[in-house]
Amino acid sequence: QVQLVESGGGLVQAGGSLRLSCAASGRTFGAMGWFRQAPGKERDFVAAIRWSGGNTYYADSVKGRFTISTDNAKNTVYLQMNSLKPEDTAVYSCAAAKAYLSGSYYYRIPHSYDYWGQGTQVTVSS
């Protein structure tokens, strides 16, 4: 049974940092991604990574502030979020794709991913 369990969300002041974790179990994956959804808005791509390492992808809105990484030994993907802004407030969900994805476009769309975590709330106060 595949499980993705996120942790690390919370309340932080603008300019602060948080690190989200997503512990994956049940099978191997080709790619991992983070998406977020603010109230009343659609789910947006945040960052993604090829599970075996290497290629990373970021939304323009987080580039230079967020870093995605994996720890293969722990089967965990991280999202380090620095210089947080109030507009980063959302529920953050990790996602896993069974297969390797080919091309930046496919890393950025939700339909490429087969499994989703339950989400963790990130709130950034001004």
Side-chain angles (χ1 to χ4, degrees):
Q1 181 182 359
V2 173
Q3 281 193 311
L4 303 177
V5 180
E6 299 109 331
S7 60
L11 173 64
V12 64
Q13 287 189 330
S17 298
L18 283 173
R19 188 178 79 157
L20 304 184
S21 301
C22 174
S25 61
R27 61 162 291 138
T28 57
F29 304 101
M32 301 293 292
W34 286 96
F35 290 78
R36 66 187 181 187
Q37 188 167 21
K41 295 189 176 181
E42 293 187 354
R43 178 182 287 171
D44 287 334
F45 168 75
V46 177
I49 188 169
R50 184 181 173 98
W51 182 256
S52 61
N55 295 353
T56 57
Y57 305 89
Y58 296 94
D60 289 343
S61 59
V62 308
K63 201 173 294 183
R65 299 188 297 124
F66 291 11
T67 303
I68 188 170
S69 62
T70 58
D71 184 332
N72 290 352
K74 296 182 179 180
N75 261 16
T76 299
V77 60
Y78 302 99
L79 185 68
Q80 178 67 43
M81 305 186 295
N82 299 328
S83 303
L84 282 161
K85 305 175 181 180
E87 51 263 43
D88 294 319
T89 295
V91 175
Y92 285 70
S93 299
C94 74
K98 290 186 286 190
Y100 288 112
L101 301 177
S102 178
S104 170
Y105 169 78
Y106 293 101
Y107 281 89
R108 298 170 186 272
I109 58 173
H111 283 122
S112 295
Y113 297 88
D114 303 291
Y115 307 100
W116 291 83
Q118 81 285 357
T120 185
Q121 177 70 46
V122 171
T123 302
V124 184
S125 63
S126 57

